[in-house]
Amino acid sequence: QVQLVESGGGLVQPGGSLRLSCAAAGSGVARIRTWGYYRQAPGKGREFVADINRGGATDYGDSMKDRVTISRDNANNMVYLQIDTLKPDDTAVYFCNAREAFREYWGRGTQVTVSS
């Protein structure tokens, strides 16, 4: 099992930045192959934002790829998402995701609201 807890969301003005954190715990952490972030805006489906695999290779979704950076701290089982130049359309719940060979895990999400 793997437990994921996101933090770092909040209210931010347009043009601002946030760093989201995802803390992972549980006996299955060592089996995780890919860590990622998704988001879900009100009334919309869940959207891929970014992921990073065990080797450190990253992938980004088209909607935010120029404004986000995903990184990880293996020693502390943490994954981070730096988001810059935030826009009102970025308002969403951001979820941490972890995938192993045959299972995936989700956190409960952290709310990001971009508004002046």
Side-chain angles (χ1 to χ4, degrees), residues 10-17 39-42 44 47 63-64 67 83-94 111-116:
L11 175 64
V12 62
Q13 293 188 342
S17 298
R39 69 179 183 176
Q40 188 164 15
K44 296 186 178 180
E47 176 187 25
S63 63
M64 301 184 77
R67 299 184 289 116
I83 313 174
D84 298 317
T85 319
L86 279 153
K87 307 174 183 179
D89 286 348
D90 295 324
T91 295
V93 179
Y94 287 71
Q111 175 71 46
V112 172
T113 302
V114 185
S115 175
S116 56

Short mmCIF file of all heavy atoms in Angstrom, two decimals, residues 10-17 39-42 44 47 63-64 67 83-94 111-116:
data_model
loop_
_atom_site.label_atom_id
_atom_site.label_comp_id
_atom_site.label_asym_id
_atom_site.label_seq_id
_atom_site.Cartn_x
_atom_site.Cartn_y
_atom_site.Cartn_z
N GLY A 10 -3.48 26.64 -2.29
CA GLY A 10 -3.98 27.83 -1.62
C GLY A 10 -4.49 28.84 -2.63
O GLY A 10 -4.67 28.52 -3.81
N LEU A 11 -4.71 30.04 -2.14
CA LEU A 11 -5.17 31.15 -2.97
C LEU A 11 -3.96 31.96 -3.41
O LEU A 11 -3.15 32.38 -2.58
CB LEU A 11 -6.14 32.02 -2.19
CG LEU A 11 -6.63 33.30 -2.88
CD1 LEU A 11 -7.44 32.95 -4.12
CD2 LEU A 11 -7.45 34.14 -1.90
N VAL A 12 -3.85 32.18 -4.70
CA VAL A 12 -2.72 32.93 -5.24
C VAL A 12 -3.22 33.87 -6.33
O VAL A 12 -4.20 33.56 -7.03
CB VAL A 12 -1.63 31.97 -5.78
CG1 VAL A 12 -2.17 31.13 -6.92
CG2 VAL A 12 -0.39 32.71 -6.19
N GLN A 13 -2.57 35.00 -6.46
CA GLN A 13 -2.97 35.96 -7.49
C GLN A 13 -2.46 35.54 -8.86
O GLN A 13 -1.44 34.84 -8.95
CB GLN A 13 -2.43 37.34 -7.13
CG GLN A 13 -3.06 37.95 -5.89
CD GLN A 13 -2.64 39.38 -5.69
OE1 GLN A 13 -1.65 39.84 -6.26
NE2 GLN A 13 -3.40 40.11 -4.89
N PRO A 14 -3.14 35.95 -9.90
CA PRO A 14 -2.63 35.66 -11.25
C PRO A 14 -1.20 36.13 -11.41
O PRO A 14 -0.84 37.23 -10.96
CB PRO A 14 -3.58 36.44 -12.15
CG PRO A 14 -4.85 36.51 -11.37
CD PRO A 14 -4.42 36.65 -9.93
N GLY A 15 -0.39 35.29 -12.04
CA GLY A 15 1.02 35.60 -12.22
C GLY A 15 1.90 35.07 -11.11
O GLY A 15 3.14 35.08 -11.23
N GLY A 16 1.29 34.59 -10.05
CA GLY A 16 2.06 34.08 -8.92
C GLY A 16 2.55 32.66 -9.13
O GLY A 16 2.33 32.05 -10.19
N SER A 17 3.21 32.15 -8.11
CA SER A 17 3.78 30.80 -8.16
C SER A 17 3.39 30.01 -6.92
O SER A 17 3.10 30.59 -5.87
CB SER A 17 5.31 30.87 -8.25
OG SER A 17 5.73 31.53 -9.42
N ARG A 39 -4.76 17.27 -12.40
CA ARG A 39 -5.62 18.29 -11.84
C ARG A 39 -7.05 18.11 -12.35
O ARG A 39 -7.26 17.53 -13.41
CB ARG A 39 -5.12 19.69 -12.17
CG ARG A 39 -5.22 20.07 -13.64
CD ARG A 39 -4.72 21.48 -13.87
NE ARG A 39 -4.88 21.89 -15.26
CZ ARG A 39 -4.59 23.10 -15.71
NH1 ARG A 39 -4.13 24.04 -14.88
NH2 ARG A 39 -4.77 23.40 -16.99
N GLN A 40 -7.98 18.63 -11.58
CA GLN A 40 -9.38 18.58 -11.98
C GLN A 40 -10.04 19.90 -11.64
O GLN A 40 -10.16 20.26 -10.46
CB GLN A 40 -10.11 17.42 -11.29
CG GLN A 40 -11.52 17.20 -11.80
CD GLN A 40 -12.08 15.85 -11.41
OE1 GLN A 40 -11.55 15.17 -10.53
NE2 GLN A 40 -13.15 15.44 -12.07
N ALA A 41 -10.43 20.61 -12.67
CA ALA A 41 -11.12 21.88 -12.50
C ALA A 41 -12.61 21.63 -12.31
O ALA A 41 -13.12 20.57 -12.71
CB ALA A 41 -10.88 22.76 -13.72
N PRO A 42 -13.32 22.58 -11.74
CA PRO A 42 -14.76 22.40 -11.54
C PRO A 42 -15.48 22.07 -12.83
O PRO A 42 -15.31 22.75 -13.85
CB PRO A 42 -15.20 23.76 -10.99
CG PRO A 42 -13.98 24.33 -10.35
CD PRO A 42 -12.83 23.85 -11.19
N LYS A 44 -14.99 19.65 -14.86
CA LYS A 44 -14.16 19.04 -15.91
C LYS A 44 -13.57 17.72 -15.43
O LYS A 44 -13.58 17.40 -14.24
CB LYS A 44 -13.04 20.00 -16.32
CG LYS A 44 -13.53 21.29 -16.95
CD LYS A 44 -12.38 22.13 -17.46
CE LYS A 44 -12.89 23.39 -18.14
NZ LYS A 44 -11.76 24.23 -18.66
N GLU A 47 -7.12 15.87 -15.50
CA GLU A 47 -6.18 16.19 -16.58
C GLU A 47 -4.75 15.93 -16.13
O GLU A 47 -4.35 16.34 -15.03
CB GLU A 47 -6.35 17.67 -16.96
CG GLU A 47 -5.38 18.18 -18.00
CD GLU A 47 -5.49 19.69 -18.20
OE1 GLU A 47 -5.93 20.38 -17.26
OE2 GLU A 47 -5.09 20.17 -19.28
N SER A 63 -1.09 21.49 -21.51
CA SER A 63 -1.72 22.71 -21.01
C SER A 63 -0.82 23.52 -20.09
O SER A 63 -0.99 24.73 -19.98
CB SER A 63 -3.01 22.35 -20.27
OG SER A 63 -2.74 21.55 -19.13
N MET A 64 0.14 22.90 -19.43
CA MET A 64 0.96 23.62 -18.46
C MET A 64 2.46 23.43 -18.66
O MET A 64 3.25 23.91 -17.84
CB MET A 64 0.61 23.19 -17.03
CG MET A 64 -0.84 23.40 -16.63
SD MET A 64 -1.13 22.98 -14.90
CE MET A 64 -0.45 24.42 -14.09
N ARG A 67 5.09 25.99 -17.84
CA ARG A 67 5.02 26.71 -16.57
C ARG A 67 5.19 25.81 -15.35
O ARG A 67 5.07 26.29 -14.23
CB ARG A 67 3.67 27.43 -16.48
CG ARG A 67 3.47 28.44 -17.59
CD ARG A 67 2.15 29.21 -17.43
NE ARG A 67 0.99 28.36 -17.70
CZ ARG A 67 0.08 28.06 -16.80
NH1 ARG A 67 0.19 28.51 -15.55
NH2 ARG A 67 -0.95 27.30 -17.12
N ILE A 83 4.79 25.45 -9.94
CA ILE A 83 3.91 26.06 -10.94
C ILE A 83 4.17 27.55 -10.96
O ILE A 83 4.06 28.22 -9.93
CB ILE A 83 2.43 25.81 -10.64
CG1 ILE A 83 2.15 24.35 -10.29
CG2 ILE A 83 1.58 26.24 -11.83
CD1 ILE A 83 0.71 24.10 -9.85
N ASP A 84 4.49 28.07 -12.10
CA ASP A 84 4.77 29.50 -12.25
C ASP A 84 3.73 30.16 -13.14
O ASP A 84 3.01 29.49 -13.88
CB ASP A 84 6.17 29.69 -12.85
CG ASP A 84 7.26 29.15 -11.95
OD1 ASP A 84 7.19 29.38 -10.73
OD2 ASP A 84 8.19 28.50 -12.47
N THR A 85 3.70 31.47 -13.07
CA THR A 85 2.81 32.27 -13.90
C THR A 85 1.38 31.71 -13.88
O THR A 85 0.78 31.41 -14.92
CB THR A 85 3.33 32.35 -15.36
OG1 THR A 85 4.75 32.50 -15.36
CG2 THR A 85 2.72 33.53 -16.08
N LEU A 86 0.86 31.58 -12.70
CA LEU A 86 -0.47 30.98 -12.55
C LEU A 86 -1.55 31.85 -13.18
O LEU A 86 -1.47 33.09 -13.15
CB LEU A 86 -0.77 30.74 -11.08
CG LEU A 86 -0.13 29.47 -10.51
CD1 LEU A 86 0.11 29.59 -9.02
CD2 LEU A 86 -1.02 28.27 -10.82
N LYS A 87 -2.53 31.17 -13.75
CA LYS A 87 -3.65 31.83 -14.41
C LYS A 87 -4.96 31.41 -13.73
O LYS A 87 -5.03 30.34 -13.13
CB LYS A 87 -3.71 31.41 -15.88
CG LYS A 87 -2.42 31.60 -16.65
CD LYS A 87 -2.54 31.01 -18.05
CE LYS A 87 -1.24 31.13 -18.82
NZ LYS A 87 -1.36 30.53 -20.18
N PRO A 88 -6.01 32.21 -13.86
CA PRO A 88 -7.30 31.79 -13.28
C PRO A 88 -7.75 30.42 -13.77
O PRO A 88 -8.37 29.67 -13.00
CB PRO A 88 -8.24 32.91 -13.73
CG PRO A 88 -7.36 34.12 -13.83
CD PRO A 88 -6.05 33.60 -14.35
N ASP A 89 -7.44 30.07 -15.01
CA ASP A 89 -7.82 28.76 -15.54
C ASP A 89 -7.08 27.60 -14.87
O ASP A 89 -7.44 26.44 -15.09
CB ASP A 89 -7.57 28.70 -17.05
CG ASP A 89 -8.60 29.49 -17.84
OD1 ASP A 89 -9.63 29.89 -17.25
OD2 ASP A 89 -8.39 29.70 -19.05
N ASP A 90 -6.07 27.92 -14.10
CA ASP A 90 -5.35 26.87 -13.37
C ASP A 90 -6.06 26.49 -12.08
O ASP A 90 -5.62 25.56 -11.39
CB ASP A 90 -3.93 27.33 -13.04
CG ASP A 90 -3.08 27.54 -14.27
OD1 ASP A 90 -3.24 26.77 -15.25
OD2 ASP A 90 -2.25 28.47 -14.26
N THR A 91 -7.12 27.19 -11.75
CA THR A 91 -7.89 26.85 -10.56
C THR A 91 -8.43 25.43 -10.68
O THR A 91 -9.14 25.10 -11.62
CB THR A 91 -9.05 27.84 -10.37
OG1 THR A 91 -8.51 29.14 -10.11
CG2 THR A 91 -9.95 27.41 -9.22
N ALA A 92 -8.04 24.60 -9.72
CA ALA A 92 -8.39 23.18 -9.77
C ALA A 92 -7.93 22.51 -8.49
O ALA A 92 -7.17 23.09 -7.70
CB ALA A 92 -7.73 22.50 -10.97
N VAL A 93 -8.36 21.28 -8.32
CA VAL A 93 -7.78 20.42 -7.29
C VAL A 93 -6.65 19.64 -7.96
O VAL A 93 -6.84 19.04 -9.02
CB VAL A 93 -8.82 19.45 -6.70
CG1 VAL A 93 -8.16 18.54 -5.67
CG2 VAL A 93 -9.97 20.22 -6.08
N TYR A 94 -5.49 19.69 -7.35
CA TYR A 94 -4.31 19.02 -7.88
C TYR A 94 -4.05 17.74 -7.08
O TYR A 94 -3.95 17.78 -5.85
CB TYR A 94 -3.11 19.95 -7.83
CG TYR A 94 -3.19 21.04 -8.88
CD1 TYR A 94 -4.10 22.08 -8.76
CD2 TYR A 94 -2.38 21.01 -10.01
CE1 TYR A 94 -4.22 23.06 -9.74
CE2 TYR A 94 -2.47 21.99 -10.99
CZ TYR A 94 -3.39 23.01 -10.84
OH TYR A 94 -3.50 23.98 -11.81
N GLN A 111 -6.28 22.03 -3.09
CA GLN A 111 -6.98 23.03 -3.89
C GLN A 111 -6.04 24.19 -4.23
O GLN A 111 -5.38 24.74 -3.35
CB GLN A 111 -8.19 23.57 -3.12
CG GLN A 111 -8.92 24.71 -3.82
CD GLN A 111 -9.69 24.26 -5.04
OE1 GLN A 111 -10.40 23.24 -4.99
NE2 GLN A 111 -9.57 24.99 -6.13
N VAL A 112 -6.02 24.53 -5.50
CA VAL A 112 -5.32 25.73 -5.96
C VAL A 112 -6.36 26.67 -6.56
O VAL A 112 -7.09 26.29 -7.47
CB VAL A 112 -4.25 25.38 -7.00
CG1 VAL A 112 -3.65 26.66 -7.60
CG2 VAL A 112 -3.15 24.52 -6.38
N THR A 113 -6.41 27.88 -6.03
CA THR A 113 -7.33 28.89 -6.53
C THR A 113 -6.54 30.10 -6.96
O THR A 113 -5.76 30.66 -6.18
CB THR A 113 -8.35 29.28 -5.46
OG1 THR A 113 -9.07 28.12 -5.04
CG2 THR A 113 -9.34 30.31 -6.01
N VAL A 114 -6.72 30.48 -8.21
CA VAL A 114 -6.01 31.63 -8.77
C VAL A 114 -7.02 32.74 -9.00
O VAL A 114 -7.90 32.62 -9.87
CB VAL A 114 -5.29 31.26 -10.07
CG1 VAL A 114 -4.45 32.44 -10.55
CG2 VAL A 114 -4.41 30.03 -9.87
N SER A 115 -6.89 33.79 -8.23
CA SER A 115 -7.86 34.87 -8.31
C SER A 115 -7.27 36.14 -7.74
O SER A 115 -6.46 36.10 -6.81
CB SER A 115 -9.13 34.50 -7.54
OG SER A 115 -10.04 35.59 -7.51
N SER A 116 -7.70 37.26 -8.28
CA SER A 116 -7.27 38.53 -7.73
C SER A 116 -8.29 39.06 -6.73
O SER A 116 -8.09 40.14 -6.16
CB SER A 116 -7.05 39.54 -8.86
OG SER A 116 -8.22 39.66 -9.64
#
